[in-house]
Amino acid sequence: MAEVEESNKPLFAGLSDISISEDIPVEGDISVPVGSQNTDNDFSTLDEPVKDTILRDLRAVGQKFVHVMYPKKSSALLRDWDLWGPLLLCVTLALMLQGGSADSEEDGRPQFAEVFVIIWFGSVIITLNSKLLGGTISFFQSLCVLGYCILPLTVAMIVCRIVLLGGASVVSFAVRLIVVTASFSWSTFASTAFLADSQPANRKALVVYPVFLFYFVIGWMILTFSPSQ
Amino acid sequence: MLSFNWLFRVTPAAIHVIRHFIYSGRAHRSVMANTDFLLQFQEFEDDQGFTENNQGATTVTIDDPIKSRKQRKATGTSFEEEDNDDKTELLSGEKKSPPFWTFEYYQTLFDVDSHQVKNRIVGSILPWPGKNFVEVYLRSNPDLYGPFWICATLVFVIAISGNMSSFLVNYGQPKFKYVPDFRKVTMAATAIYSYAWLVPLALWGFLTWRNTKITCLVSYSFMQILCVYGYSLSIYIPAVILWIIPSEGLRWCSIVVALCLSGSVLVMTFWPAIREDKPRITIAITSTIVILHALLAIGCKAFFFSTYELDHTEPLTTKAINNNSSINAN
């Protein structure tokens, strides 16, 4: 009977009878276990030397450059996207298109800001276009791919500047034309290899054409570059 | 202004008629008896147990907004679109267009395939008498892909061709040093995009205003007008590429040909919307459309492809020769 009575009592009913007097000491041990630093190495990179951090990022960027130069069907560019490479390439290209001395009469040449805006704004527009057409690629992945695929055109720019050191003649123009055309088609082909898979099959041409236009315009800016003398 | 009370009276009638059209053999007879593009629904006139005055108009707009005059008792503007929307809603379940501040709304504006875009471009270049661009190619699926990228291509083609033509004109002149003129891109972009957006806006506003005064059979939504204008600019891309060759006769020739082709497409598209109006207004609108189209081409040619350099440098060289000869004579 007593047990039934006890079981009929609501839970915790007995706790109200407990009174805590001040002279009962409460003691325990509040401390973080020290031995957790070994498991933190994978998550926290705050303690490593700066050289390691920079080298790791540079190695990631370099690896993506290799992927662009030899475009195979790999998803490394898409999976670990980063925007360092595109920024580096864009700034290099815009600086090299400046031409050295700032002549006031020849201000028809593209300014640094214009090249920068064309590259980034163009990439954003192409990304929006591919998303509106129903693509499955994410916004920053697409920006990453488009930015990295400017690498062949940057290489062509360097080659053009070297060729122009020997003077501007018809032969140098022919050489520059061939180099720029080759790198422009390489860029378009490389970015198509990454972007076209994310589109439905009947809209691939609609997505590839803006990419073609984008690299064509950049190639045109490189081809018509003439250094001031 | 318009009141849409009639829509709620007319929709059950529309449902009945649609079912009749789909399931009755009389529809086939009426379609095949017609030789031209318009569908005649004469057989349904005695079917109007629930007769309304605009019954004929409702039945007629199922497939084609352009109907014969006998059938039409025009009631208001843009009810074809409402009718089409009603029909799609009835036939395909719940299909609501998303609000314009969501991403999905803009996705519906890009709902085209590659071959559709190709067909639309071809349709805007080759005018076919009797084929209205909006009817045949757009139906109720105007897209923004075509207008936007055709304008972008046109901007860059104008800038590149302008630079190339000025280079070719001055090639061989000893005093000339070629510098790519990048400002042409920004100027061309402003000109072309404002034409492609402001003129359709003005035209749509004007047509909507006229529709309140004169009940018209056919009216186009803003997106459709925008689409037509965007695709009509596509003929200028090969024309601009031809302008690289520095020959005045060839340039004027290509302008005239391009203007004829795309101007006729535009006029044929908007003709059904304005032919019910007063003749003066009709002529005014038609000529405005053609003149604006021509002004765009001529303005671009004059501004970006000016051959004034040819005349400018020739006096210089002749003057130099005269000076030399006068110096030699002394």
Side-chain angles (χ1 to χ4, degrees):
Chain A
M1 293 292 284
E3 290 133 7
V4 174
E5 274 180 4
E6 272 180 4
S7 63
N8 279 343
K9 281 191 213 162
L11 273 174
F12 305 126
L15 283 180
S16 54
D17 299 338
I18 297 176
S19 64
I20 302 180
S21 58
E22 284 94 22
D23 50 1
I24 299 181
V26 174
E27 44 185 303
D29 198 3
I30 305 176
S31 67
V32 177
V34 181
S36 62
Q37 259 180 3
N38 294 332
T39 57
D40 272 354
N41 270 346
D42 296 339
F43 307 103
S44 139
T45 52
L46 273 179
D47 296 329
E48 63 179 10
V50 176
K51 181 169 71 95
D52 279 354
T53 314
I54 293 183
L55 276 183
R56 184 179 52 239
D57 281 337
L58 277 180
R59 233 176 277 130
V61 168
Q63 203 180 28
K64 293 204 192 58
F65 280 167
V66 170
H67 274 291
V68 167
M69 293 311 261
Y70 300 104
K72 311 184 291 263
K73 289 274 192 264
S74 81
S75 59
L77 253 181
L78 296 181
R79 232 186 5 224
D80 318 313
W81 59 266
D82 73 271
L83 293 179
W84 281 115
L87 182 67
L88 201 66
L89 288 171
C90 179
V91 167
T92 315
L93 196 58
L95 280 177
M96 283 200 290
L97 276 172
Q98 288 309 294
S101 63
D103 272 353
S104 55
E105 13 176 312
E106 301 168 28
D107 56 354
R109 159 174 305 128
Q111 307 290 316
F112 180 90
E114 281 169 348
V115 178
F116 208 82
V117 161
I118 279 195
I119 292 182
W120 284 101
F121 196 60
S123 307
V124 166
I125 296 271
I126 294 178
T127 308
L128 273 180
N129 176 63
S130 87
K131 283 191 80 67
L132 282 169
L133 282 170
T136 54
I137 201 171
S138 94
F139 183 76
F140 285 110
Q141 281 173 344
S142 168
L143 276 187
C144 170
V145 167
L146 287 168
Y148 269 105
C149 289
I150 296 182
L151 177 68
L153 283 166
T154 312
V155 168
M157 180 81 216
I158 298 176
V159 170
C160 281
R161 283 211 80 155
I162 296 175
V163 167
L164 276 172
L165 284 177
S169 68
V170 182
V171 174
S172 84
F173 178 74
V175 169
R176 281 186 292 144
L177 180 67
I178 294 177
V179 167
V180 169
T181 311
S183 61
F184 145 73
S185 22
W186 197 340
S187 287
T188 311
F189 173 68
S191 65
T192 310
F194 290 111
L195 286 179
D197 284 341
S198 63
Q199 289 294 325
N202 49 354
R203 295 184 183 182
K204 283 204 189 344
L206 296 184
V207 172
V208 168
Y209 172 71
V211 175
F212 168 85
L213 188 65
F214 177 62
Y215 289 129
F216 184 79
V217 169
I218 297 182
W220 172 257
M221 285 199 294
I222 293 176
L223 187 60
T224 60
F225 169 78
S226 57
S228 53
Q229 275 139 12
Chain B
M1 284 301 283
L2 315 161
S3 73
F4 289 105
N5 298 334
W6 52 267
L7 186 60
F8 300 109
R9 281 180 286 139
V10 145
T11 310
I15 300 174
H16 181 92
V17 165
I18 288 165
R19 262 191 277 134
H20 241 285
F21 173 63
I22 293 175
Y23 297 118
S24 99
R26 288 191 282 174
H28 295 289
R29 244 190 297 138
S30 74
V31 166
M32 293 204 291
N34 222 352
T35 49
D36 65 350
F37 203 59
L38 311 176
L39 288 178
Q40 313 267 349
F41 277 71
Q42 272 129 358
E43 281 120 307
F44 291 102
E45 297 241 301
D46 34 304
D47 200 22
Q48 297 169 8
F50 36 86
T51 310
E52 308 233 349
N53 263 353
N54 31 1
Q55 182 57 47
T58 315
T59 62
V60 140
T61 56
I62 286 174
D63 250 4
D64 208 302
I66 304 182
K67 298 301 167 201
S68 75
R69 276 185 191 86
K70 299 189 277 198
Q71 304 294 326
R72 269 187 300 258
K73 302 268 164 61
T75 50
T77 67
S78 69
F79 74 91
E80 289 89 3
E81 271 135 31
E82 254 90 39
D83 225 8
N84 280 339
D85 285 341
D86 279 337
K87 176 187 85 161
T88 48
E89 233 174 326
L90 290 169
L91 292 182
S92 63
E94 290 299 307
K95 181 179 170 257
K96 289 159 42 141
S97 80
F100 70 90
W101 56 82
T102 57
F103 188 71
E104 283 74 28
Y105 173 76
Y106 296 102
Q107 263 186 324
T108 60
L109 289 174
F110 276 74
D111 193 15
V112 278
D113 294 337
S114 316
H115 66 95
Q116 276 178 324
V117 171
K118 183 173 64 81
N119 288 342
R120 288 177 188 192
I121 293 178
V122 169
S124 74
I125 294 183
L126 304 172
W128 205 255
K131 267 196 191 177
N132 189 336
F133 184 78
V134 176
E135 312 304 324
V136 175
Y137 294 104
L138 291 191
R139 294 179 193 265
S140 52
N141 190 21
D143 71 301
L144 276 186
Y145 177 91
F148 181 77
W149 285 109
I150 289 177
C151 289
T153 310
L154 195 57
V155 164
F156 286 117
V157 165
I158 284 184
I160 292 177
S161 306
N163 280 329
M164 273 174 62
S165 92
S166 72
F167 173 76
L168 280 179
V169 161
N170 296 305
Y171 188 64
Q173 310 277 352
K175 285 194 186 276
F176 184 80
K177 183 178 153 17
Y178 172 69
V179 166
D181 195 359
F182 199 72
R183 291 165 303 184
K184 293 194 170 168
V185 175
T186 36
M187 289 189 288
T190 316
I192 294 205
Y193 273 103
S194 34
Y195 175 83
W197 283 83
L198 293 180
V199 172
L201 187 66
L203 193 60
W204 172 76
F206 186 79
L207 285 178
T208 314
W209 173 63
R210 292 307 295 175
N211 273 330
T212 64
K213 306 203 157 202
I214 295 171
T215 49
C216 192
L217 334 140
V218 172
S219 76
Y220 299 124
S221 71
F222 175 58
M223 281 299 159
Q224 285 173 325
I225 301 184
L226 197 63
C227 206
V228 171
Y229 261 90
Y231 278 105
S232 73
L233 286 177
S234 63
I235 183 75
Y236 283 129
I237 297 177
V240 168
I241 295 180
L242 274 181
W243 291 352
I244 296 179
I245 305 171
S247 145
E248 276 300 300
L250 182 65
R251 286 179 182 179
W252 281 109
C253 218
S254 61
I255 285 187
V256 166
V257 169
L259 192 60
C260 283
L261 287 176
S262 66
S264 57
V265 170
L266 280 179
V267 167
M268 278 200 299
T269 304
F270 287 107
W271 185 251
I274 57 177
R275 67 180 161 197
E276 301 285 309
D277 215 333
K278 287 186 264 191
R280 261 192 325 172
I281 308 258
T282 309
I283 296 179
I285 296 186
T286 314
S287 47
T288 311
I289 292 177
V290 174
I291 287 177
L292 280 178
H293 216 58
L295 272 181
L296 180 77
I298 297 176
C300 282
K301 177 189 171 307
F303 196 64
F304 297 107
F305 292 84
S306 55
T307 46
Y308 76 93
E309 290 125 336
L310 250 168
D311 313 325
H312 189 63
T313 48
E314 271 184 20
L316 277 180
T317 48
T318 47
K319 234 196 287 183
I321 292 174
N322 285 341
N323 279 343
N324 281 343
S325 54
S326 61
I327 290 175
N328 286 341
N330 288 346

XYZ file of all heavy atoms in Angstrom, chain A residues 106-110 114 118 125-126 128-129 131-134 170 202-207 209-210 213 216-217 220-221 224 226-227 229, chain B residues 103 106-108 110-115 117 145 148-149 152-153 156 159-161 163-164 171 177-183 185-186 237:
558
model
N 46.450 59.846 -76.064
C 45.986 58.525 -76.452
C 45.179 57.913 -75.329
O 45.534 56.883 -74.773
C 47.183 57.631 -76.772
C 48.025 58.218 -77.884
C 49.347 57.477 -77.971
O 49.379 56.296 -77.614
O 50.332 58.097 -78.353
N 44.106 58.580 -74.989
C 43.328 58.030 -73.879
C 42.168 57.199 -74.383
O 41.188 57.005 -73.697
C 42.822 59.165 -72.986
C 42.023 60.168 -73.814
O 41.972 60.026 -75.042
O 41.464 61.088 -73.216
N 42.284 56.731 -75.591
C 41.249 55.835 -76.062
C 41.488 54.416 -75.609
O 40.608 53.571 -75.664
N 42.684 54.168 -75.147
C 43.049 52.818 -74.690
C 42.259 52.504 -73.428
O 41.944 53.379 -72.657
C 44.547 52.859 -74.456
C 45.105 51.815 -73.552
C 46.608 51.899 -73.527
N 47.204 51.829 -74.821
C 48.081 52.725 -75.248
N 48.439 53.709 -74.481
N 48.607 52.618 -76.445
N 41.908 51.210 -73.238
C 41.099 50.881 -72.053
C 41.835 51.175 -70.759
O 42.997 50.828 -70.594
C 40.833 49.388 -72.211
C 41.844 48.902 -73.168
C 42.138 50.031 -74.067
N 38.266 49.995 -66.553
C 37.384 49.459 -67.587
C 37.646 47.978 -67.796
O 36.700 47.184 -67.927
C 37.592 50.222 -68.897
C 36.890 51.556 -68.898
C 37.312 52.422 -70.057
O 38.301 52.086 -70.720
O 36.652 53.441 -70.290
N 34.954 45.110 -67.012
C 34.490 44.219 -68.077
C 34.645 42.774 -67.645
O 33.733 41.960 -67.822
C 35.248 44.480 -69.389
C 34.660 45.663 -70.106
C 35.143 43.269 -70.289
C 35.100 45.764 -71.522
N 27.453 38.539 -65.374
C 26.321 38.449 -66.312
C 26.227 37.048 -66.905
O 25.135 36.492 -67.047
C 26.488 39.498 -67.429
C 26.441 40.893 -66.861
C 25.447 39.306 -68.493
C 25.079 41.467 -66.792
N 27.370 36.462 -67.252
C 27.325 35.124 -67.838
C 26.827 34.125 -66.811
O 26.040 33.219 -67.135
C 28.702 34.717 -68.367
C 29.080 35.614 -69.524
C 28.707 33.279 -68.810
C 30.426 35.307 -70.072
N 24.795 34.746 -64.270
C 23.349 34.942 -64.134
C 22.608 34.322 -65.310
O 21.552 33.706 -65.138
C 23.040 36.444 -64.091
C 23.104 37.097 -62.736
C 22.767 38.567 -62.876
C 22.143 36.440 -61.787
N 23.166 34.492 -66.491
C 22.533 33.942 -67.675
C 22.425 32.432 -67.586
O 21.380 31.852 -67.862
C 23.368 34.354 -68.902
C 22.839 33.740 -70.180
O 21.735 34.011 -70.593
N 23.630 32.896 -70.796
N 22.426 30.647 -64.905
C 21.494 30.227 -63.859
C 20.053 30.428 -64.291
O 19.180 29.635 -63.971
C 21.773 31.008 -62.572
C 22.985 30.478 -61.837
C 23.073 31.066 -60.464
C 22.152 30.369 -59.489
N 22.542 28.989 -59.226
N 19.801 31.521 -65.032
C 18.433 31.765 -65.478
C 17.992 30.727 -66.491
O 16.809 30.413 -66.599
C 18.333 33.164 -66.096
C 18.257 34.296 -65.090
C 18.424 35.612 -65.778
C 16.928 34.254 -64.384
N 18.955 30.201 -67.258
C 18.583 29.184 -68.237
C 18.409 27.825 -67.586
O 18.149 26.854 -68.279
C 19.653 29.097 -69.331
C 19.568 30.205 -70.368
C 20.788 30.179 -71.246
C 18.347 30.015 -71.219
N 18.577 27.757 -66.278
C 18.303 26.493 -65.608
C 19.534 25.683 -65.306
O 19.464 24.468 -65.212
N 54.069 43.854 -89.839
C 53.027 42.929 -90.284
C 53.299 41.534 -89.748
O 52.403 40.794 -89.367
C 52.947 42.918 -91.821
C 51.841 42.007 -92.276
C 52.705 44.326 -92.332
N 19.405 20.814 -74.313
C 18.938 21.612 -75.446
C 19.266 23.085 -75.289
O 18.826 23.902 -76.073
C 17.433 21.430 -75.619
C 16.712 21.626 -74.297
O 17.345 21.783 -73.266
N 15.398 21.629 -74.333
N 20.032 23.440 -74.254
C 20.355 24.848 -74.062
C 21.843 25.072 -73.996
O 22.288 26.147 -73.618
C 19.721 25.361 -72.769
C 18.243 25.337 -72.863
C 17.608 25.917 -71.660
N 16.177 25.810 -71.775
C 15.317 26.261 -70.882
N 15.782 26.843 -69.803
N 14.043 26.117 -71.057
N 22.621 24.082 -74.356
C 24.068 24.240 -74.222
C 24.565 25.382 -75.089
O 25.407 26.183 -74.660
C 24.758 22.936 -74.627
C 24.689 21.872 -73.570
C 25.841 20.902 -73.780
C 25.819 19.647 -72.939
N 25.062 19.442 -71.831
N 24.059 25.480 -76.313
C 24.533 26.539 -77.212
C 24.211 27.915 -76.651
O 24.986 28.858 -76.815
C 23.910 26.370 -78.591
N 23.060 28.023 -75.975
C 22.687 29.322 -75.425
C 23.632 29.751 -74.321
O 23.789 30.936 -74.069
C 21.262 29.283 -74.866
C 20.146 29.022 -75.862
C 18.816 29.114 -75.168
C 20.197 30.016 -76.986
N 24.242 28.783 -73.620
C 25.151 29.128 -72.536
C 26.551 29.349 -73.068
O 27.293 30.197 -72.578
C 25.165 28.013 -71.474
C 26.236 28.253 -70.459
C 23.829 27.939 -70.798
N 27.468 30.519 -76.051
C 27.667 31.718 -76.869
C 28.128 32.934 -76.064
O 29.054 33.629 -76.478
C 26.399 32.049 -77.662
C 26.506 33.365 -78.355
C 27.353 33.515 -79.439
C 25.818 34.472 -77.896
C 27.498 34.730 -80.047
C 25.953 35.681 -78.509
C 26.791 35.815 -79.588
O 26.940 37.021 -80.186
N 27.524 33.269 -74.903
C 28.032 34.414 -74.146
C 29.474 34.236 -73.690
O 30.236 35.217 -73.639
C 27.094 34.505 -72.943
C 25.852 33.863 -73.402
C 26.286 32.751 -74.279
N 31.557 35.134 -76.611
C 31.593 36.589 -76.797
C 32.526 37.246 -75.792
O 33.315 38.135 -76.132
C 30.182 37.151 -76.632
C 29.970 38.617 -76.966
C 30.207 38.840 -78.428
C 28.563 39.029 -76.598
N 36.081 36.547 -76.638
C 36.391 37.233 -77.892
C 36.716 38.695 -77.634
O 37.674 39.237 -78.193
C 35.189 37.111 -78.831
C 35.414 37.701 -80.183
C 36.133 37.008 -81.139
C 34.917 38.948 -80.501
C 36.343 37.540 -82.389
C 35.118 39.495 -81.752
C 35.841 38.788 -82.700
N 35.919 39.338 -76.782
C 36.157 40.745 -76.485
C 37.492 40.926 -75.778
O 38.273 41.834 -76.095
C 35.006 41.314 -75.634
C 35.357 42.671 -75.084
C 33.764 41.402 -76.466
N 40.186 40.515 -78.242
C 40.272 41.698 -79.095
C 41.068 42.799 -78.403
O 41.897 43.471 -79.011
C 38.867 42.196 -79.435
C 38.875 43.494 -80.146
C 38.597 44.717 -79.643
C 39.243 43.701 -81.506
N 38.744 45.677 -80.596
C 39.130 45.076 -81.748
C 39.637 42.865 -82.544
C 39.402 45.630 -82.990
C 39.906 43.428 -83.780
C 39.785 44.788 -83.992
N 40.810 42.994 -77.099
C 41.548 44.028 -76.369
C 43.034 43.713 -76.339
O 43.882 44.618 -76.417
C 41.015 44.134 -74.934
C 39.683 44.832 -74.849
S 39.304 45.447 -73.199
C 39.141 43.948 -72.305
N 44.580 44.299 -80.032
C 44.736 45.668 -80.502
C 45.598 46.504 -79.581
O 45.697 47.710 -79.747
C 43.371 46.354 -80.613
O 42.762 46.349 -79.324
C 42.503 45.648 -81.601
N 48.586 48.327 -78.350
C 49.820 48.805 -78.969
C 50.514 49.683 -77.947
O 49.922 50.624 -77.422
C 49.512 49.595 -80.231
O 48.666 50.663 -79.933
N 51.739 49.410 -77.639
C 52.411 50.174 -76.602
C 52.759 51.567 -77.106
O 52.996 51.767 -78.293
C 53.682 49.369 -76.334
C 53.947 48.667 -77.611
C 52.615 48.388 -78.231
N 55.042 54.706 -77.754
C 56.492 54.759 -77.995
C 57.093 56.096 -77.644
O 56.418 57.094 -77.700
C 56.756 54.476 -79.476
C 56.819 53.000 -79.759
C 56.113 52.657 -81.048
O 55.781 53.574 -81.810
N 55.872 51.391 -81.298
N 13.302 35.102 -58.148
C 14.186 34.665 -59.213
C 13.432 33.826 -60.233
O 13.745 33.854 -61.429
C 15.323 33.848 -58.571
C 16.419 33.498 -59.523
C 17.279 34.473 -59.994
C 16.591 32.200 -59.955
C 18.289 34.158 -60.866
C 17.604 31.883 -60.827
C 18.452 32.857 -61.280
N 12.026 35.562 -63.336
C 12.956 35.835 -64.423
C 13.369 34.559 -65.121
O 13.737 34.584 -66.290
C 14.173 36.593 -63.887
C 13.758 37.937 -63.374
C 13.620 38.171 -62.024
C 13.448 38.959 -64.259
C 13.200 39.391 -61.561
C 13.029 40.180 -63.791
C 12.904 40.397 -62.453
O 12.480 41.602 -61.997
N 13.295 33.428 -64.411
C 13.583 32.172 -65.091
C 12.531 31.867 -66.147
O 12.838 31.293 -67.178
C 13.652 31.024 -64.079
C 15.071 30.722 -63.687
C 15.178 29.506 -62.805
O 14.313 29.259 -61.981
N 16.232 28.766 -62.973
N 11.281 32.277 -65.879
C 10.263 32.037 -66.902
C 10.516 32.885 -68.142
O 10.026 32.572 -69.216
C 8.859 32.366 -66.383
O 8.833 33.750 -66.013
C 8.489 31.515 -65.208
N 13.400 33.234 -69.435
C 14.522 32.656 -70.154
C 14.215 31.220 -70.540
O 15.106 30.406 -70.707
C 15.778 32.683 -69.261
C 16.494 34.001 -69.314
C 15.973 35.102 -68.683
C 17.680 34.124 -69.995
C 16.624 36.316 -68.727
C 18.343 35.331 -70.042
C 17.814 36.428 -69.408
N 12.935 30.933 -70.695
C 12.520 29.553 -70.880
C 12.514 29.221 -72.363
O 11.454 28.999 -72.958
C 11.131 29.394 -70.265
C 10.746 27.944 -70.124
O 11.638 27.095 -70.231
O 9.558 27.688 -69.912
N 13.691 29.250 -72.984
C 13.752 28.948 -74.412
C 14.845 27.928 -74.656
O 15.782 27.812 -73.901
C 14.080 30.206 -75.255
C 12.849 30.998 -75.495
C 15.123 31.036 -74.580
N 14.715 27.222 -75.774
C 15.745 26.289 -76.190
C 16.564 26.897 -77.313
O 16.171 27.890 -77.916
C 15.113 24.984 -76.676
C 14.417 24.258 -75.553
O 14.783 24.502 -74.388
O 13.516 23.467 -75.845
N 17.687 26.240 -77.635
C 18.573 26.786 -78.657
C 17.865 26.906 -80.001
O 17.988 27.926 -80.696
C 19.812 25.904 -78.814
O 20.312 25.532 -77.576
N 17.110 25.867 -80.374
C 16.500 25.931 -81.700
C 15.385 26.960 -81.743
O 15.119 27.553 -82.794
C 15.985 24.540 -82.108
C 14.854 24.059 -81.263
N 13.539 24.236 -81.623
C 14.830 23.414 -80.077
C 12.765 23.716 -80.699
N 13.509 23.218 -79.744
N 15.482 29.881 -80.210
C 16.142 31.171 -80.429
C 16.565 31.299 -81.882
O 16.396 32.354 -82.510
C 17.361 31.309 -79.487
C 18.173 32.522 -79.840
C 16.894 31.411 -78.054
N 16.299 36.452 -73.350
C 17.645 36.028 -73.731
C 18.025 36.660 -75.060
O 19.089 37.260 -75.191
C 17.678 34.501 -73.850
C 19.004 33.965 -74.314
C 19.985 33.624 -73.409
C 19.275 33.802 -75.669
C 21.198 33.138 -73.833
C 20.487 33.334 -76.091
C 21.446 32.991 -75.175
O 22.653 32.525 -75.602
N 18.549 40.625 -75.065
C 19.722 41.056 -74.311
C 21.012 40.704 -75.031
O 21.900 41.547 -75.215
C 19.700 40.412 -72.929
C 20.859 40.820 -72.087
C 20.871 42.057 -71.483
C 21.945 39.983 -71.900
C 21.944 42.458 -70.719
C 23.015 40.376 -71.137
C 23.016 41.616 -70.543
N 21.142 39.456 -75.493
C 22.430 39.072 -76.062
C 22.607 39.581 -77.486
O 23.729 39.793 -77.928
C 22.607 37.552 -75.991
C 22.904 37.153 -74.597
C 22.097 36.483 -73.745
C 24.095 37.451 -73.854
N 22.695 36.347 -72.525
C 23.925 36.923 -72.564
C 25.284 38.123 -74.162
C 24.898 37.036 -71.575
C 26.256 38.227 -73.176
C 26.065 37.692 -71.908
N 23.902 43.018 -76.875
C 25.298 42.990 -76.425
C 26.222 42.699 -77.600
O 27.256 43.347 -77.768
C 25.470 41.923 -75.338
N 25.829 41.726 -78.433
C 26.647 41.413 -79.610
C 26.745 42.622 -80.523
O 27.830 42.937 -81.037
C 26.025 40.234 -80.380
O 25.744 39.183 -79.481
C 26.955 39.760 -81.459
N 29.265 45.253 -79.212
C 30.666 44.922 -79.399
C 31.044 44.880 -80.867
O 32.156 45.271 -81.249
C 30.996 43.592 -78.713
C 31.052 43.725 -77.230
C 30.167 43.047 -76.420
C 31.973 44.559 -76.640
C 30.217 43.193 -75.046
C 32.032 44.707 -75.273
C 31.144 44.023 -74.478
N 31.594 48.455 -81.970
C 32.849 49.010 -81.487
C 34.040 48.422 -82.243
O 34.940 49.137 -82.686
C 32.980 48.732 -79.987
N 34.026 47.087 -82.414
C 35.157 46.447 -83.077
C 35.220 46.856 -84.546
O 36.286 47.198 -85.066
C 35.048 44.918 -82.919
C 35.266 44.543 -81.465
C 36.037 44.210 -83.808
C 35.109 43.072 -81.200
N 34.059 46.835 -85.224
C 34.067 47.199 -86.642
C 34.440 48.658 -86.829
O 35.135 49.000 -87.792
C 32.696 46.953 -87.261
O 32.295 45.643 -87.031
N 36.447 50.420 -84.949
C 37.898 50.519 -84.813
C 38.611 49.979 -86.039
O 39.575 50.567 -86.539
C 38.351 49.749 -83.575
C 38.139 50.553 -82.318
O 38.206 51.772 -82.349
N 37.879 49.883 -81.220
N 38.111 48.836 -86.550
C 38.780 48.243 -87.702
C 38.647 49.115 -88.931
O 39.589 49.236 -89.724
C 38.205 46.849 -87.981
C 38.907 45.786 -87.173
S 38.207 44.148 -87.290
C 38.392 43.783 -88.986
N 45.214 53.349 -92.876
C 46.383 52.478 -93.021
C 47.302 53.062 -94.073
O 46.907 53.412 -95.163
C 45.920 51.087 -93.433
C 47.019 50.067 -93.429
C 47.660 49.724 -92.247
C 47.404 49.433 -94.597
C 48.674 48.787 -92.238
C 48.405 48.489 -94.590
C 49.046 48.169 -93.409
O 50.031 47.229 -93.409
N 48.702 57.045 -86.179
C 49.070 55.905 -85.354
C 47.784 55.323 -84.789
O 46.989 56.026 -84.172
C 49.979 56.381 -84.223
C 50.465 55.239 -83.373
C 51.383 55.751 -82.318
C 51.397 54.861 -81.083
N 50.878 53.542 -81.241
N 47.597 54.039 -84.987
C 46.324 53.446 -84.603
C 46.246 53.254 -83.098
O 47.129 52.662 -82.484
C 46.140 52.096 -85.302
C 44.942 51.357 -84.797
C 43.663 51.815 -85.066
C 45.064 50.223 -84.008
C 42.559 51.164 -84.593
C 43.969 49.566 -83.527
C 42.714 50.049 -83.822
O 41.613 49.400 -83.352
N 45.200 53.768 -82.528
C 44.949 53.568 -81.102
C 43.527 53.063 -80.955
O 42.610 53.660 -81.495
C 45.112 54.906 -80.335
C 44.536 54.772 -78.949
C 46.559 55.285 -80.270
N 43.338 51.962 -80.273
C 41.975 51.459 -80.126
C 41.149 52.419 -79.285
O 41.568 52.821 -78.208
C 42.158 50.115 -79.414
C 43.466 50.209 -78.752
C 44.315 51.097 -79.579
N 40.015 52.766 -79.799
C 39.168 53.729 -79.111
C 38.136 52.981 -78.294
O 37.164 52.467 -78.832
C 38.497 54.643 -80.142
C 37.907 55.856 -79.464
O 38.013 55.949 -78.229
O 37.354 56.703 -80.170
N 38.387 52.917 -77.009
C 37.526 52.111 -76.172
C 36.243 52.830 -75.799
O 35.273 52.213 -75.368
C 38.289 51.725 -74.901
C 37.680 50.565 -74.211
C 37.778 49.303 -74.740
C 36.960 50.721 -73.044
C 37.200 48.236 -74.122
C 36.383 49.652 -72.419
C 36.505 48.406 -72.952
N 36.246 54.151 -75.963
C 35.037 54.874 -75.569
C 33.872 54.514 -76.461
O 32.711 54.719 -76.095
C 35.274 56.383 -75.646
C 36.228 56.877 -74.583
C 36.703 58.255 -74.918
N 37.330 58.279 -76.235
C 37.900 59.351 -76.739
N 37.915 60.472 -76.049
N 38.448 59.322 -77.934
N 32.807 51.676 -77.117
C 31.989 50.614 -76.530
C 30.923 51.215 -75.633
O 29.742 50.864 -75.715
C 32.872 49.632 -75.737
C 32.010 48.612 -75.039
C 33.826 48.930 -76.660
N 31.322 52.131 -74.763
C 30.349 52.683 -73.830
C 29.285 53.483 -74.558
O 28.102 53.400 -74.225
C 31.058 53.572 -72.791
O 32.131 54.247 -73.416
C 31.592 52.737 -71.663
N 23.564 43.065 -87.302
C 24.886 42.515 -86.993
C 25.671 42.206 -88.261
O 26.803 42.689 -88.419
C 24.753 41.283 -86.072
C 24.141 41.715 -84.739
C 26.087 40.621 -85.856
C 23.896 40.597 -83.792
